Amino acid sequence: LTNIGLIRDEQGQYKKAIARYEEGLQIYRRIGARGSVARILNNVAVTYENLGQREKALRRYRESLRLYRRMGNRGGVSAVLQNISDVYRLQGQYEKVPPRVQEAIQTAREIDDRRNVANSLEIIGLADEDQDRYAKALARYRKALEIRREIGDRDGAAFNLGSIGTTHLKANQLRAATD
């Protein structure tokens, strides 16, 4: 059921995706599979974000976060904190972004999850960019790029390079944007 939810989500059939996820959640809750419940709650939250229903997304993310914390799953905690931070960023609640991102980075470092450290840097960089703090955004994107290159994450590095170029353009640094 949850795999069908993922497929529906990828197809843009968000309401059908949520229905499948909810069915799967009932089953996993009944059998006590907390890890699966936490993962699916995160998926449901992403789908609500895709629908533009950010408050519903936040509720599901928070529920997922509570489960990951109870289980001691630090990777899950870090990832969900990033998702929550990004929702706050999209809502313009920038003051709520740094504490969650810092916790996500700290948690990711504890388990040597450099990809999630880079992901977190990207999110706070986006928040800086949204607030026209281009120098801060560029510093965060460059650090994320450095990590991406060190771990061999070419897709993530490409994203970071795009973010760096876009930020230079927004800052009217045309020469730097084309370098």
Side-chain angles (χ1 to χ4, degrees):
L1 290 172
T2 58
N3 286 339
I4 294 171
L6 286 169
I7 293 167
R8 295 290 186 231
D9 200 13
E10 287 295 317
Q11 294 172 333
Q13 298 176 6
Y14 302 125
K15 291 180 182 181
K16 288 181 180 180
I18 289 170
R20 294 300 159 257
Y21 288 142
E22 293 294 342
E23 288 177 47
L25 277 172
Q26 289 176 5
I27 293 167
Y28 285 123
R29 282 183 169 136
R30 193 170 29 243
I31 64 172
R34 294 184 309 167
S36 294
V37 170
R39 180 180 44 79
I40 295 166
L41 285 167
N42 191 66
N43 291 348
V44 171
V46 169
T47 306
Y48 276 126
E49 273 195 86
N50 290 336
L51 285 168
Q53 297 178 16
R54 293 188 180 127
E55 287 305 317
K56 284 185 178 181
L58 281 172
R59 281 195 295 276
R60 292 306 188 143
Y61 282 137
R62 288 182 188 120
E63 196 176 344
S64 176
L65 181 61
R66 278 191 298 277
L67 280 172
Y68 278 132
R69 285 188 198 276
R70 283 187 202 134
M71 293 183 309
N73 182 327
R74 293 184 287 179
V77 167
S78 179
V80 174
L81 284 168
Q82 292 167 35
N83 292 341
I84 290 170
S85 298
D86 203 40
V87 172
Y88 285 138
R89 179 188 71 81
L90 292 168
Q91 291 177 322
Q93 296 183 50
Y94 299 112
E95 72 284 353
K96 293 183 177 182
V97 175
R100 282 152 189 90
V101 168
Q102 291 306 322
E103 184 180 353
I105 289 172
Q106 178 183 344
T107 304
R109 284 184 175 146
E110 288 171 3
I111 57 173
D112 197 32
D113 184 350
R114 299 181 74 209
R115 183 178 311 270
N116 269 333
V117 171
N119 291 344
S120 296
L121 289 167
E122 290 166 5
I123 292 167
I124 200 161
L126 288 166
D128 288 330
E129 184 180 334
D130 290 348
Q131 298 172 83
D132 300 332
R133 297 189 310 216
Y134 301 124
K136 282 186 173 185
L138 287 167
R140 295 181 204 280
Y141 294 150
R142 286 185 182 116
K143 181 62 180 168
L145 176 61
E146 178 184 324
I147 293 168
R148 298 284 189 201
R149 286 179 169 161
E150 287 172 1
I151 64 173
D153 179 3
R154 294 175 61 164
D155 290 338
F159 179 82
N160 289 133
L161 287 168
S163 296
I164 290 168
T166 300
T167 304
H168 279 300
L169 283 173
K170 287 181 177 180
N172 203 27
Q173 300 169 348
L174 303 180
R175 178 166 289 188
T178 59
D179 288 344

